[in-house]
Amino acid sequence: MSLESLYQEIIMEHFKAPRNRGEITTPDVSISMNNPFCGDEITLHLSLQNGRIADVKFRGRGCAISQASASLMTELFKGLPLANASTFASTFKKMMRGEAKSNETEPLGDLVALEGVRKFPVRVKCALLAWSAFEEGVKGKK
Amino acid sequence: MSLESLYQEIIMEHFKAPRNRGEITTPDVSISMNNPFCGDEITLHLSLQNGRIADVKFRGRGCAISQASASLMTELFKGLPLANASTFASTFKKMMRGEAKSNETEPLGDLVALEGVRKFPVRVKCALLAWSAFEEGVKGKK
Amino acid sequence: MSFDPVRVRAEFPIFSRKIRGKEIAYLDSAATSQKPAAVIDAMDAFYREHNSNVHRGAYVLSEEATAMFEETRGKVAKFIGAPSGDGIVYVRNTTEAINLVACAWGRKYLKAGDEILLTEMEHHSNFVPWHQLVKDKGLVLRHIPITDEGRLDLAALDRVLTKKTRLVSICHASNVLGTINPVAEITAAAHRAGALCLVDGAQAVPHMRVDVAAIGCDFYAFSAHKMCGPTGIGVLWARPELLKDMDPFMVGGETIVEVHLDHSTFRDPPHRYEPGTPAIAEVAGLEAAIAWLEKTGIDAVHAHEASVTAYALKRLLEIPRLTFYGPRTGPRGGVACFTLDDLHPHDLATCLDQDNVCIRAGHHCAQPLMRRLGVVATARASFYVYTLPSEIDRLIESLNRAREFFGCR
Amino acid sequence: MSFDPVRVRAEFPIFSRKIRGKEIAYLDSAATSQKPAAVIDAMDAFYREHNSNVHRGAYVLSEEATAMFEETRGKVAKFIGAPSGDGIVYVRNTTEAINLVACAWGRKYLKAGDEILLTEMEHHSNFVPWHQLVKDKGLVLRHIPITDEGRLDLAALDRVLTKKTRLVSICHASNVLGTINPVAEITAAAHRAGALCLVDGAQAVPHMRVDVAAIGCDFYAFSAHKMCGPTGIGVLWARPELLKDMDPFMVGGETIVEVHLDHSTFRDPPHRYEPGTPAIAEVAGLEAAIAWLEKTGIDAVHAHEASVTAYALKRLLEIPRLTFYGPRTGPRGGVACFTLDDLHPHDLATCLDQDNVCIRAGHHCAQPLMRRLGVVATARASFYVYTLPSEIDRLIESLNRAREFFGCR
Ligand SMILES: Cc1ncc(COP(=O)(O)O)c(C=O)c1O
Ligand SMILES: Cc1ncc(COP(=O)(O)O)c(C=O)c1O
């Protein structure tokens, strides 16, 4: 695996100019999580309306992979029904475990660029951090 | 090392017919000890008179080495001033550690037969059991 | 592929060693087993090619070491019939596994008046951690007695297993008597009484197919060094639900999520219970030991031992004035405990050593059982996958020489 | 015999391995060291020729193993300047050693209101065991702060070391900053205040001459795996008088004198603290590691590292926008921690891995120190006896490539 296949253009782009960075003033979901291996942190805010993700923001300190993953995730999630977002989260995790077929991952769009992270086992947790925070945060919500 | 050099005639003789087995009705010193490696036990009784060992008896369960060592020890000790017995105990331990010169061990008499035990490291504790009990028992006595 | 004991034995380098010009008859496998070349070589290869610390390194060596370390949990789980590697905690040995349960589970959940049920045939490692807890917490210890033949007296179970029993902790196979205990039955009884069940599998996992799911127990402990693996590594398997809520035991690097100057938060199991740099090369050795036992066939190992043990019992019982301890019939483990006339086991062992016949003499870390048997010590010969009938013959010859030497009747 | 780094390096088999067709620049020795053939072979030889359990067997193999196991205590003692092997307790690693002191000494002697003094630069292993104790006992934790250069701020000692301080527990050398702490001076201050002193020597014993008698401390802990030795074995040295009266920690076989059904009595140290079958082959490995370090010359090791470290610092500090953490002058250990521009250390480490340059990225089990430094993670390169200046050159080249790749200014 080359560096280029890990740090694809779309990842570098989101890393350098992350979308949806910031906070929501009165979020419906606010969750902080960290990666015990490296100390990377993320705080994710969601505002929900009629079962949809009306807005989503994140803050955190982390590597290119974790920041790009969070940025791409928020971009995908904005406006989505919560149920669909949860399905995407499952698919993304499956992809990172190498268990997803390519027709399954297609709807993830640009996020497929993160599939290369699989070849760098210690970095998988970086890619998953935002997604784990999301899943933990919406646990029990419908 | 051959078995014969470990189980010398004098040792086998004392093992088969141990001297001074039994108890003293009102002992001045009564001490029990065991060997944590094998569970062997000894109980040693002494009666003291004017700083001398007027009588000494032992009971215990143990191997040929520990029984012969106890028997030979009691034989040597009977009638001896306590101080001399303590000196013998030090000399005996030194012998078992291989640190005694032959002119030092001479006064131990028949006990020198136990020097061969040194070549069988796990058995050294067997030979020392009675002596450790003696030293522990008379600790603080004059 | 049929089991060929001579070919199997040839895989163990130590047996090419000669002492006093003679081969070694190693009859002390219940204390620790010998190691096949495959296990020694696996650790060697780890140090020569993959050595690095686990979990944190973003480079190839560390990724390899981490993958080996974590994937072995799954292999260990499979070997003992556990559903997944999530319940596998690496420890130093069986003793540490039991201490871990006593501290991390026992200290958290037990209170004065609660009862723990052991048996009379436990190894010290399954007595002493409970003694400490009993003293600190005001618990009550009870014991399943044994029959004169050396089996658990299950008729007494109703009496000793009470409504207050919170844990039953028993050995799967005895290291002295060779008895194999009906651990599934006892676990079921424990569960009916509302208690959990810990099984000390130190003498079972090396010798027979173990299936913790079929047993139904809550904790299962064993050591690698008795199963062709290295020293320094053992396993506590526990139901993941239990592990999840137990307190930390030893703590430090690897066990935490966040550390502040004055407090810390803990990771999920199994890592919560694995403080500091673990025994990494030893896990490679454990993996190799399991692979070797699977290749050889654990059922074949068991059958071989059963036949060697049957032969040993037959020959031993022919010796005049030999007292044998433990069941003589039925399925049993490959240990034979005995005393000979009034000869002390130590003297016996020293005699046998002159012929390179290695047996153990002593209380075998089972003093309470020794008291029950009315002895201070016994001699013990124990067998494993590499034991040959010719070694039993050497044992018998050597015992006869000892009888002569000491002038036994 | 003068020290020849190339010849020394040739004794480490792992360096003949090529990954992606290239040699490995292993710059993560502070996590764990590589092992010379002499150490690997010593364990190999133990398993092939002497393997048996210790302490109980009356046969040659067991006598050999026991003699090796016990005599190594004396060699370890000599290596760290301790008067005798009586104070040497074998543990799994530094982390277990500190847990042992926290439990066996701390639980026995400390009471609510007592204070423990740490520093801001400790490894998690020297925080978390005390956090547990503090919570259970109502103790107070204090910390010696550090200066901006990364040294202990001894001017603050008067304030944090109080009449209530019962233990000062500090690292000899920092695994992040490279700082070597004045442990003798701090021990003297602790003793004047009526406190004991524990020194975490994990990053010192591998790299420099340590003399616990000269330091004067009461406890000293280290791990074999960082000093050319195997995983699974470490050492707690403690004053024998202290060991004698401490409570048992983990218990089981080997730790006891007598076991009854409901209570047990304990042996004298060091065995009281060594539960179950110990890491026997690992002790053989530790012995070989010490012998290898003595043969190579610990002072030569230290001098070599000092020169490699000086070169690394010089080269690193030439890199634009590199932030360096820790002292730049004076005697220091062979670790170099840094961040580069706004590049995350993880990304950096992954880049470097492409060139087989193995560094560590993260909090290095020192989160409180990371907070003090105002970072979440850093990159860390660490050096040892086998590190060559050419590896430093590879590090620098690789860092420059990473800067380019990520378009750093
Ligand atoms: C200063 C220091 N203390 C303690 C430890 C813990 O050592 P171990 O993981 O061997 O227990 C380390 C290892 O990283 C260390 O650097
Ligand atoms: C039944 C049983 N339990 C526990 C142990 C203790 O094993 P370890 O010394 O590996 O902790 C043994 C070992 O002799 C044993 O036979």
Side-chain angles (χ1 to χ4, degrees), chain B residues 14-88:
Chain B
H14 274 262
F15 167 51
K16 297 201 165 169
R19 324 295 197 262
N20 303 309
R21 263 189 91 89
E23 280 127 40
I24 295 174
T25 327
T26 51
D28 296 302
V29 171
S30 167
I31 173 98
S32 295
M33 198 169 256
N34 81 5
N35 175 344
F37 291 111
C38 57
D40 280 0
E41 306 160 338
I42 191 163
T43 300
L44 189 70
H45 285 180
L46 298 174
S47 78
L48 304 177
Q49 259 167 31
N50 308 325
R52 283 182 179 269
I53 299 176
D55 198 7
V56 47
K57 299 256 187 228
F58 79 100
R59 267 208 194 290
R61 296 202 278 185
C63 63
I65 304 298
S66 75
Q67 298 302 297
S69 182
S71 172
L72 283 157
M73 181 187 86
T74 56
E75 206 175 50
L76 178 70
F77 278 5
K78 210 183 265 186
L80 226 55
L82 199 52
N84 296 24
S86 295
T87 308
F88 280 134

Side-chain angles (χ1 to χ4, degrees), chain C residues 30-31 93-96 98 123 125 171 173-175 200 202-203 223 225-226, chain D residues 53 275-277:
Chain C
N93 51 28
T94 307
T95 304
E96 182 175 57
I98 298 173
H123 186 277
S125 294
C171 60
S174 158
N175 67 320
D200 166 1
Q203 298 292 346
S223 301
H225 71 90
K226 293 187 201 277
Chain D
N53 213 324
T277 301

Side-chain angles (χ1 to χ4, degrees), chain C residues 17 28 44 49 51 59 64 92-93 96 99 131 231 251 259-261 264 277 282 360 367 371, chain D residues 17 28 44 49 56 59 64 92-93 96 99 131 231 251 259-261 264 277 282 367 371:
Chain C
R17 179 167 175 203
D28 196 16
D44 212 274
E49 291 167 38
N51 178 65
Y59 51 83
E64 290 169 347
R92 178 171 32 230
N93 51 28
E96 182 175 57
N99 276 274
H131 290 169
T231 52
V251 290
V259 177
H260 295 262
L261 282 173
S264 9
T277 301
E282 290 79 355
R360 190 134 293 219
Q367 287 183 355
R371 270 179 222 110
Chain D
R17 179 165 174 205
D28 196 16
D44 212 275
E49 291 168 37
R56 270 165 238 271
Y59 51 83
E64 289 170 347
R92 179 171 30 233
N93 50 29
E96 182 174 59
N99 276 272
H131 290 170
T231 52
V251 291
V259 177
H260 296 263
L261 282 173
S264 8
T277 301
E282 290 80 353
Q367 288 183 355
R371 270 180 223 109

Side-chain angles (χ1 to χ4, degrees), chain D residues 100-404:
Chain D
L100 200 166
V101 176
C103 290
W105 178 84
R107 287 200 188 280
K108 174 158 186 181
Y109 293 110
L110 299 182
K111 52 178 202 317
D114 284 347
E115 297 182 5
I116 294 177
L117 180 58
L118 310 176
T119 81
E120 284 183 335
M121 64 167 83
E122 297 310 313
H123 187 277
H124 290 168
S125 294
N126 198 21
F127 276 116
V128 196
W130 308 116
H131 290 170
Q132 292 296 99
L133 199 62
V134 160
K135 211 174 65 178
D136 293 357
K137 289 262 186 174
L139 310 179
V140 175
L141 264 193
R142 294 186 188 277
H143 304 87
I144 307 178
I146 62 170
T147 65
D148 289 340
E149 204 208 349
R151 299 194 188 274
L152 289 182
D153 180 5
L154 293 183
L157 200 56
D158 276 353
R159 185 166 48 77
V160 288
L161 180 64
T162 78
K163 287 226 143 52
K164 291 190 181 158
T165 308
R166 301 293 306 276
L167 179 75
V168 178
S169 189
I170 48 169
C171 62
H172 197 159
S174 159
N175 66 321
V176 174
L177 303 165
T179 318
I180 296 174
N181 291 320
V183 287
E185 195 180 321
I186 293 171
T187 299
H191 285 174
R192 276 194 304 273
L196 298 186
C197 190
L198 183 159
V199 178
D200 166 0
Q203 298 291 348
V205 176
H207 304 288
M208 56 194 263
R209 189 173 297 281
V210 166
D211 185 332
V212 296
I215 296 169
C217 59
D218 304 284
F219 302 102
Y220 198 96
F222 58 101
S223 301
H225 70 91
K226 293 186 201 277
M227 53 185 280
C228 297
T231 52
I233 185 85
V235 170
L236 171 69
W237 172 80
R239 290 189 183 288
E241 318 85 83
L242 290 169
L243 282 184
K244 210 167 137 302
D245 291 327
M246 280 154 54
D247 276 341
F249 172 41
M250 283 193 281
V251 291
E254 299 293 339
T255 69
I256 54 87
V257 175
E258 272 185 37
V259 177
H260 296 263
L261 282 173
D262 60 357
H263 72 280
S264 8
T265 54
F266 292 94
R267 280 177 73 186
D268 283 340
H271 301 97
R272 186 191 303 160
Y273 306 103
E274 296 176 357
T277 301
I280 308 170
E282 290 80 353
V283 169
L286 171 60
E287 179 188 29
I290 288 176
W292 189 87
L293 285 169
E294 279 176 340
K295 181 201 82 176
T296 308
I298 189 75
D299 293 326
V301 171
H302 189 62
H304 170 71
E305 278 181 49
S307 92
V308 168
T309 307
Y311 179 61
L313 257 65
K314 176 179 160 298
R315 295 293 314 267
L316 284 170
L317 294 172
E318 289 164 6
I319 296 182
R321 297 183 166 276
L322 183 141
T323 310
F324 185 86
Y325 303 94
R328 301 180 184 200
T329 55
R332 72 189 307 292
V335 298
C337 259
F338 57 91
T339 50
L340 188 53
D341 205 347
D342 57 0
L343 249 177
H344 192 281
H346 262 193
D347 294 315
L348 206 54
T350 296
C351 275
L352 268 55
D353 178 45
Q354 298 295 309
D355 298 330
N356 285 350
V357 174
C358 311
I359 63 157
R360 188 134 294 217
H363 52 56
H364 317 296
C365 290
Q367 288 183 355
L369 176 58
M370 292 293 119
R371 270 180 223 109
R372 168 67 177 81
L373 301 174
V375 292
V376 163
T378 74
R380 179 185 75 186
S382 56
F383 319 121
Y384 202 16
V385 53
Y386 38 67
T387 309
L388 300 179
S390 60
E391 294 179 290
I392 307 297
D393 295 335
R394 285 178 62 186
L395 167 67
I396 303 295
E397 279 162 38
S398 205
L399 285 174
N400 282 326
R401 259 197 293 280
R403 293 177 61 230
E404 246 168 66

Side-chain angles (χ1 to χ4, degrees), chain C residues 198-221:
Chain C
L198 183 158
V199 178
D200 166 1
Q203 298 292 346
V205 176
H207 304 289
M208 56 194 262
R209 190 173 295 283
V210 166
D211 186 332
V212 295
I215 296 168
C217 59
D218 304 284
F219 302 102
Y220 198 97

